[in-house]
Amino acid sequence: MKNRLLPLILALLLSPLTGLDAGTTGILEGYVRNQETGAPLHGVNVIIVGTRLGTSTNADGFFRIHNIPAGTYSVTFRMIGFTHLTVNKVVIQTDLKTSLSDITLMETSVETEGVVIEAVRPLIQKDITGSTIRVAEKRIAHMPVNTVTEILSVQTGVTDEGNVRGGKSSEVQFLIDGMPVKDMMTGKTDLYLPRNAVTQMGIHTGGFNSQYGNALSGIVNIITKSGSNTPVSDIQVESDGYPGFTQQSMSRRLEATAGGALARDRVYYFLAADLHHSSGRWWQDFEAANEQGADFTFPLSRSYSGFAKLDAHINPEHRFSTQVLFTDHAWRDYEFSWRYNLDGLPARRTRVFRWAAVWSHFLSKNTFYSLDVSYNMLQNRINDRPKDELTFEPWEYDFYLQYIISGTRSWWADTRQGILTLKGDLSSQIADLHFIKMGFQTQLFDIHGDIIKYEPQTTYFGKPLIDEPMLNFSTTYDYYPRMGSLYLQDRIELTKAGGVINIGLRYDFLDPRAKRPSIELVPVSEDEYTSEISGWTKASLKQSLNPRFGISIPLTEKSFIFGNLGWYTQFPLFHQLYAGIDNVTLRSGMNVLRGNPDLKAETNTTAEMSYKQYMAYNTVFSLTWFSKHTKNQIDAKTFIPSNNRISGDYGFAEYVNNDRADATGFELALTRERGEFITGSLSYVYMKADGLSSSADHGIFIYQWGFEPITSLHPLSWDQRHTLKATIFLEFPWGFDAAIMWQYHSPRPYTYYPSSDGYTPDYPDLAFIPNNERMSDYNLTNIRLTQNVSTGLPFVKEASVYLDIRNLFNRQNVVWMDASGRIGGELGDPGAWGIGRRTHLGVRITF
């Protein structure tokens, strides 16, 4: 491994492109004038408190400070002969400029106390060219949410499952402090970062610049907290298991943070921990299983996460930061059809370890670079028994073939990913017109998959075919793919009022470092075949070159428009490349689903136009139109007729690229980010999402059920045409706050193709069209009520008690329906409804 890494690392470090700034810092600029005369002040010292960053104003009274880590700061302005000024609550946002344009200093002949004011953010950020949502720490602390993915799901244009503007949830790239953290084998976006470790989230739902890649629909950049000169710590506990709470998941959560300075103005630390125990929605069934002789240990889900960060401001030109994140999550699965045999389902466990470091260096006042390195280790285990001790007992169904009453699920897996990421960025302000960024990123993967999995064949209607052999999805592989990118971005300032043009170009590559088998089918009888490997072909290098354009134009002081057009690429997940193509698996002819190392990258073309207008009462109105055309979406296709004898009676399928998917729509929003008593947003989204498949495995089951391939676009499973969302924050004078989050969407589609017996369709001549009917509408209200309290203790800075209620009105929202139009199918599975009301009572104390 060292022999492979060293030449590549040296080549990258010596590359003329030293950079990839995936949005962890911002810019502060503004003008300073004489309060009495209005004349510009030259030579005013501008210092960001708690850092070693600063500058002085030029002859025009102008100042600009680059490479400021995202967060909230105090900024001081000092000049001999003038009263010094401190501006608090200055928010620095990733990839954006913060302007302080109305700074004035008052002349004085004697030393006086400084003046302290609070910064006021502009309601319209006029230097953006794509839809961007910023969620600050204060908002996160008061929202009825527990995870980063929940914060994403409540944003305009995003579904509960994390689908952004009609795309798959796996088309969103998650970053922690600018470094990718996505699971490249499964595409899942579950993050275990403690919520109280987040200081800011930048969510890009359209038109993201060229420094962001390997994503088709959205970018979520999570900025973590840092320590400061003032030591601060807090502890938060909550539970839903109090007397009187009739609906609960036996949830208990403890969160704690601590931060401060190891060396004042130089070295800071921050620590966070999150312990969460829960037994889930169905704990009563597990208790009943224990009464029948099972041995489940409660709580059924245990999650432990920790985060540590160290920041060193070595001098004004050099800065170093390092961080560690770890998680251990163990839980038990639940399926309603297994409720009388729950110990037949395997235990599951996920472990995550992540280390990252960044070095930042100012080459001059307007030019700086940073070098980043991170290592991610992710392990997923299914079934806690050793592989050599596995004994899968045959399944036994009840008389009506509805419930599995004995046997064990034939599923064991040990998958591991080691990901070494190297990246860097070079940023330079050229005069006042151009802000140039250029960069590289490379990722070296160590991928291991060892999976044993058998699933029964079923009819489309869910009935098991007990006389047919089980489908074998087992596979074993070890691969070492490489991924990398280069980008160049120029932000051109049009006017001092804020108009910009963004022009970017991004190059991405993926080297699968695998060989694809050449398989010949040799007939041995009229309906039987054997497969023979005639050779191996090296998988091709996958490359893409994507231009991106954006422009924003102020119309008046209170309005502006922006638009963008971009091309985006996302590479296949590694399981789709490598599953089932190892020699042993192929020669045994046992795997029904095979990877394809020659899969093309999925691509899309996205366009967006938006108009924003300042209204009365600190309110902004926005209207945004978007369109997205996706090609080469990944699906599975069966190549062998179902009457052969390879892989049982099924044959095998292979991942392929299908034609297309389209999403288009518009968003209307009213936002009030500041003001007395009430702030928040109200939005309406019309969206249409059509495609050929809603998942990469869709084609397998289409062939298994005997249907013809789907060749025409149809609504995708997350197609919700009309969506209304409201996020409202209320602040009362007696220290009582309320956060209300409501959403409604019109019915989602499902496939209506009824069957009375579960084996044959009621209308065999009826064409099979996926998602041809709609379920009922969706309505959900979550609320968090917070009461600040005074403890009278000198070491307690703040204390509060809160009530977090999910699904306030206990609405029964339908999640799925079977082909006969029954909610929960033949069994009436209660999991077909969303989770009912859950009430969490918690306490938070800040020291």
Side-chain angles (χ1 to χ4, degrees):
M1 184 70 171
K2 291 180 180 178
N3 291 337
R4 292 197 302 269
L5 291 179
L6 186 57
L8 185 56
I9 293 172
L10 290 175
L12 290 171
L13 293 181
L14 295 174
S15 168
L17 290 175
T18 49
L20 177 76
D21 179 13
T24 60
T25 64
I27 299 171
L28 177 66
E29 67 179 27
Y31 289 87
V32 184
R33 294 180 174 85
N34 187 310
Q35 189 177 89
E36 296 179 356
T37 67
L41 293 178
H42 182 203
V44 178
N45 292 316
V46 185
I47 304 296
I48 300 178
V49 179
T51 75
R52 310 200 78 189
L53 297 173
T55 188
S56 59
T57 58
N58 63 17
D60 296 322
F62 179 76
F63 69 91
R64 179 184 282 136
I65 304 174
H66 290 282
N67 198 26
I68 308 171
T72 303
Y73 298 92
S74 294
V75 181
T76 63
F77 298 83
R78 292 177 181 268
M79 186 176 184
I80 296 175
F82 290 82
T83 300
H84 69 261
L85 174 70
T86 299
V87 183
N88 292 331
K89 297 185 179 181
V90 178
V91 178
I92 302 299
Q93 302 182 83
T94 58
D95 299 329
L96 296 177
K97 292 189 302 184
T98 297
S99 296
L100 298 176
S101 56
D102 298 321
I103 301 300
T104 59
L105 300 184
M106 182 174 60
E107 290 188 75
T108 182
S109 57
V110 296
E111 186 71 24
T112 62
E113 290 187 8
V115 178
V116 179
I117 63 174
E118 287 189 2
V120 178
R121 281 187 56 216
L123 293 173
I124 298 179
Q125 189 83 31
K126 296 182 180 179
D127 60 345
I128 63 172
T129 59
S131 292
T132 304
I133 303 166
R134 307 287 171 176
V135 187
E137 172 188 349
K138 183 179 178 181
R139 286 285 194 242
I140 294 172
H142 288 84
M143 293 167 67
V145 296
N146 289 113
T147 65
V148 168
T149 49
E150 287 179 0
I151 297 171
L152 172 65
S153 69
V154 301
Q155 307 306 320
T156 301
V158 185
T159 70
D160 272 354
E161 297 78 17
N163 308 93
V164 176
R165 289 185 173 176
K168 297 179 181 178
S169 59
S170 59
E171 294 175 0
V172 179
Q173 178 71 279
F174 281 78
L175 312 169
I176 296 180
D177 291 326
M179 299 290 278
V181 291
K182 187 175 182 177
D183 184 338
M184 289 299 297
M185 294 181 74
T186 66
K188 292 182 178 179
T189 55
D190 294 333
L191 293 177
Y192 297 96
L193 181 70
R195 177 187 56 180
N196 288 342
V198 179
T199 188
Q200 186 183 119
M201 280 180 59
I203 302 170
H204 303 262
T205 59
F208 41 93
N209 290 335
S210 60
Q211 63 261 45
Y212 298 105
N214 202 29
L216 296 180
S217 293
I219 299 291
V220 178
N221 192 10
I222 304 154
I223 307 301
T224 59
K225 293 181 181 178
S226 295
S228 66
N229 285 326
T230 303
V232 176
S233 61
D234 70 35
I235 186 168
Q236 180 174 339
V237 294
E238 71 172 44
S239 173
D240 71 349
Y242 295 100
F245 292 7
T246 57
Q247 296 171 294
Q248 58 174 292
S249 298
M250 299 178 66
S251 174
R252 309 288 188 274
R253 184 183 292 271
L254 168 65
E255 296 182 72
T257 66
L262 297 177
R264 186 174 180 83
D265 292 335
R266 288 183 176 273
V267 182
Y268 304 102
Y269 71 92
F270 180 80
L271 307 170
D274 183 2
L275 287 72
H276 185 210
H277 287 181
S278 173
S279 291
R281 185 179 178 182
W282 314 111
W283 58 271
Q284 295 96 334
D285 276 3
F286 285 92
E287 280 193 343
N290 279 350
E291 294 174 359
Q292 298 298 319
D295 188 24
F296 293 109
T297 301
F298 287 81
L300 299 169
S301 172
R302 300 177 179 87
S303 178
Y304 308 95
S305 298
F307 176 78
K309 185 177 182 181
L310 185 71
D311 295 288
H313 298 245
I314 299 170
N315 55 46
E317 291 78 33
H318 299 86
R319 188 168 67 234
F320 174 77
S321 179
T322 186
Q323 58 183 254
V324 173
L325 170 67
F326 70 88
T327 294
D328 191 345
H329 181 204
W331 73 100
R332 298 295 304 229
D333 269 343
Y334 177 88
E335 291 185 26
F336 192 67
S337 61
W338 287 76
R339 66 180 308 202
Y340 301 115
N341 182 35
L342 289 174
D343 51 359
L345 295 175
R348 305 188 68 168
R349 189 169 190 174
T350 293
R351 290 174 176 170
V352 177
F353 172 82
R354 176 182 183 272
W355 168 80
V358 56
W359 170 265
S360 181
H361 178 202
F362 272 96
L363 298 175
S364 68
K365 184 178 180 179
N366 292 322
T367 302
F368 61 93
Y369 72 87
S370 64
L371 295 173
D372 304 66
V373 59
S374 73
Y375 178 76
N376 286 14
M377 187 283 293
L378 174 63
Q379 181 185 29
N380 284 303
R381 284 293 305 268
I382 300 175
N383 205 316
D384 52 6
R385 289 182 295 171
K387 183 178 180 180
D388 55 3
E389 297 179 10
L390 291 177
T391 54
F392 295 126
E393 301 176 13
W395 297 12
E396 182 181 346
Y397 290 88
D398 66 353
F399 178 78
Y400 299 101
L401 299 179
Q402 295 178 331
Y403 294 98
I404 296 100
I405 57 176
S406 67
T408 56
R409 165 159 278 178
S410 308
W411 198 3
W412 180 95
D414 180 8
T415 62
R416 294 185 295 254
Q417 303 171 64
I419 308 172
L420 177 64
T421 302
L422 301 170
K423 77 183 187 75
D425 73 90
L426 177 67
S427 303
S428 183
Q429 182 78 46
I430 301 177
D432 290 328
L433 184 62
H434 297 273
F435 185 63
I436 304 290
K437 293 182 180 180
M438 57 182 66
F440 74 84
Q441 175 175 290
T442 187
Q443 291 183 284
L444 308 179
F445 298 88
D446 186 344
I447 304 298
H448 168 78
D450 191 0
I451 301 170
I452 300 174
K453 183 179 181 181
Y454 296 85
E455 290 289 331
Q457 295 189 51
T458 66
T459 68
Y460 173 73
F461 313 101
K463 282 292 189 181
L465 301 173
I466 57 176
D467 295 328
E468 298 293 335
M470 301 184 80
L471 300 179
N472 187 350
F473 293 88
S474 304
T475 185
T476 301
Y477 53 80
D478 289 279
Y479 289 96
Y480 307 94
R482 293 172 178 168
M483 187 184 297
S485 61
L486 299 170
Y487 85 91
L488 178 64
Q489 182 79 33
D490 184 10
R491 185 171 68 186
I492 305 170
E493 304 284 342
L494 293 179
T495 67
K496 293 183 179 180
V500 300
I501 294 176
N502 275 312
I503 301 174
L505 185 64
R506 183 179 179 90
Y507 166 76
D508 292 275
F509 76 87
L510 169 64
D511 183 0
R513 305 187 71 195
K515 293 182 178 181
R516 179 179 180 177
S518 301
I519 300 175
E520 292 185 2
L521 304 176
V522 180
V524 295
S525 66
E526 183 177 351
D527 63 350
E528 293 186 9
Y529 302 81
T530 62
S531 61
E532 294 184 359
I533 301 173
S534 60
W536 295 83
T537 303
K538 184 179 179 180
S540 61
L541 179 72
K542 306 172 200 320
Q543 304 179 79
S544 68
L545 190 64
N546 295 320
R548 298 174 192 177
F549 308 95
I551 185 172
S552 69
I553 303 174
L555 300 178
T556 68
E557 290 184 357
K558 296 184 177 182
S559 65
F560 90 114
I561 60 173
F562 73 72
N564 59 74
L565 176 65
W567 286 258
Y568 302 88
T569 294
Q570 182 168 321
F571 292 117
L573 300 173
F574 291 141
H575 189 75
Q576 297 164 350
L577 297 178
Y578 303 130
I581 63 169
D582 60 284
N583 244 319
V584 175
T585 303
L586 286 172
R587 292 189 184 282
S588 62
M590 65 181 184
N591 191 285
V592 301
L593 179 60
R594 296 176 181 174
N596 180 359
D598 271 331
L599 279 175
K600 298 177 182 178
E602 296 178 311
T603 62
N604 76 23
T605 304
T606 298
E608 180 183 29
M609 289 289 294
S610 183
Y611 169 78
K612 292 182 181 290
Q613 171 70 51
Y614 170 78
M615 312 288 284
Y617 307 108
N618 294 322
T619 302
V620 173
F621 166 78
S622 64
L623 168 63
T624 303
W625 167 85
F626 61 89
S627 177
K628 181 163 49 181
H629 175 67
T630 304
K631 297 191 301 182
N632 296 329
Q633 282 208 319
I634 296 172
D635 199 354
K637 180 179 179 181
T638 300
F639 288 94
I640 308 300
S642 59
N643 63 350
N644 76 89
R645 292 296 180 263
I646 303 174
S647 303
D649 278 341
Y650 174 70
F652 75 87
E654 183 178 72
Y655 286 113
V656 297
N657 296 101
N658 67 24
D659 288 339
R660 53 184 278 203
D662 294 321
T664 187
F666 65 87
E667 301 169 351
L668 295 170
L670 282 175
T671 304
R672 191 172 194 257
E673 292 191 1
R674 64 170 184 258
E676 297 181 357
F677 179 60
I678 183 170
T679 56
S681 64
L682 174 66
S683 67
Y684 165 77
V685 178
Y686 172 82
M687 181 189 68
K688 184 179 180 181
D690 294 332
L692 294 178
S693 65
S694 295
S695 72
D697 298 331
H698 187 255
I700 301 175
F701 304 107
I702 291 295
Y703 281 93
Q704 176 189 337
W705 298 323
F707 299 128
E708 292 296 320
I710 306 302
T711 58
S712 59
L713 296 179
H714 58 267
L716 298 173
S717 298
W718 52 86
D719 175 69
Q720 49 192 56
R721 296 293 168 88
H722 307 279
T723 304
L724 282 167
K725 290 186 178 182
T727 301
I728 301 171
F729 297 92
L730 303 174
E731 296 185 11
F732 297 90
W734 53 87
F736 179 76
D737 302 330
I740 305 168
M741 302 176 70
W742 169 78
Q743 63 172 304
Y744 164 89
H745 66 72
S746 57
R748 285 187 179 181
Y750 79 100
T751 304
Y752 181 71
Y753 196 74
S755 171
S756 300
D757 60 6
Y759 290 95
T760 56
D762 290 345
Y763 309 103
D765 295 331
L766 182 68
F768 178 80
I769 303 174
N771 290 339
N772 57 347
E773 291 290 343
R774 297 271 171 173
M775 298 184 287
S776 59
D777 58 357
Y778 181 95
N779 198 327
L780 182 69
T781 303
N782 298 332
I783 186 171
R784 178 170 170 140
L785 308 175
T786 304
Q787 177 63 61
N788 299 315
V789 298
S790 175
T791 65
L793 301 174
F795 52 85
V796 175
K797 181 181 178 182
E798 297 175 356
S800 60
V801 179
Y802 63 88
L803 200 63
D804 187 329
I805 307 175
R806 310 296 174 89
N807 196 356
L808 175 66
F809 300 108
N810 205 28
R811 167 75 182 242
Q812 288 189 311
N813 290 306
V814 177
V815 178
W816 64 270
M817 299 173 68
D818 75 355
S820 297
R822 296 173 295 192
I823 300 174
E826 183 182 21
L827 302 180
D829 182 354
W833 284 269
I835 298 176
R837 184 190 299 115
R838 293 293 186 270
T839 304
H840 300 257
L841 179 62
V843 177
R844 182 172 184 176
I845 302 174
T846 302
F847 305 94

